[in-house]
Amino acid sequence: MENSTVPRFQKRTKPLAHLKAGKEQPGTDGVMPWDVSVELDLHQLEYKENKLVVEKEGYYYVYSKLCFNVDNDLFTHLVVMTTQPPVTQYSIELLHSQYYTNHPNATQNESLIQNSYLGGMFHFFKGDAVFVLVRNGTVQLESAANNYFGMFMV
């Protein structure tokens, strides 16, 4: 049998990033930190202050998955974009998921570990920054495979 080695990744021609959670919970601002102690899977995107910064204008698919416990009655998982000058800086919620634990059909066991996945396609300009926000929850950090964030140009 012939010994052939298949490369893990083909040559990257378009921007992409895939980040995994480390051991830190989101800060008081709610911004989710990502693990920088390992080699980051980045190509033509910059990772700066827990955000992915676009270097090449175009359409991107953005995704985020979190595994969490709800601290209050409501858990919120957001993907947010900020613009950079020369345009006036502002933030836009791109993707938004909420989980309610105090609804009429909730069961006692339903407040255990839950999952949230967000994904969508958006047009970004050079300098736009994309990041994940968490409110009212504790992200379960046992496995990096449970919590991730990324984007790629389509």
Side-chain angles (χ1 to χ4, degrees):
M1 184 168 184
E2 188 177 319
N3 184 8
S4 62
T5 304
V6 178
R8 184 170 171 207
F9 295 104
Q10 298 295 325
K11 183 179 178 186
R12 297 174 183 155
T13 58
K14 293 183 179 182
L16 68 84
H18 182 79
L19 306 174
K20 296 176 184 174
K23 299 192 183 314
E24 292 183 51
Q25 290 290 328
T28 55
D29 59 359
V31 176
M32 182 70 191
W34 304 100
D35 191 359
V36 293
S37 67
V38 296
E39 184 177 337
L40 296 178
D41 193 8
L42 290 173
H43 179 68
Q44 296 180 358
L45 288 162
E46 181 183 3
Y47 180 72
K48 185 177 179 180
E49 298 173 358
N50 299 318
K51 301 173 183 178
L52 289 172
V53 181
V54 175
E55 295 180 353
K56 184 176 179 182
E57 178 184 348
Y59 286 93
Y60 290 78
Y61 183 79
V62 180
Y63 59 91
S64 174
K65 185 210 176 256
L66 296 176
C67 185
F68 63 93
N69 281 342
V70 179
D71 291 343
N72 295 313
D73 290 340
L74 173 68
F75 172 83
T76 305
H77 175 199
L78 302 159
V79 175
V80 178
M81 176 196 87
T82 58
T83 61
Q84 298 299 318
V87 177
T88 304
Q89 186 171 359
Y90 61 94
S91 296
I92 299 173
E93 287 184 11
L94 300 175
L95 300 164
H96 186 139
S97 175
Q98 291 184 316
Y99 181 82
Y100 299 92
T101 59
N102 194 14
H103 58 83
N105 297 327
T107 65
Q108 192 71 7
N109 293 332
E110 205 168 10
S111 63
L112 300 175
I113 296 174
Q114 301 294 328
N115 286 287
S116 176
Y117 180 86
L118 298 170
M121 190 164 35
F122 303 92
H123 184 267
F124 296 114
F125 294 96
K126 182 176 180 171
D128 289 344
V130 183
F131 57 99
V132 174
L133 278 177
V134 176
R135 294 188 186 128
N136 300 321
T138 303
V139 178
Q140 296 299 307
L141 300 172
E142 286 81 27
S143 168
N146 285 334
N147 303 290
Y148 49 84
F149 164 54
M151 58 194 284
F152 56 88
M153 181 179 264
V154 291

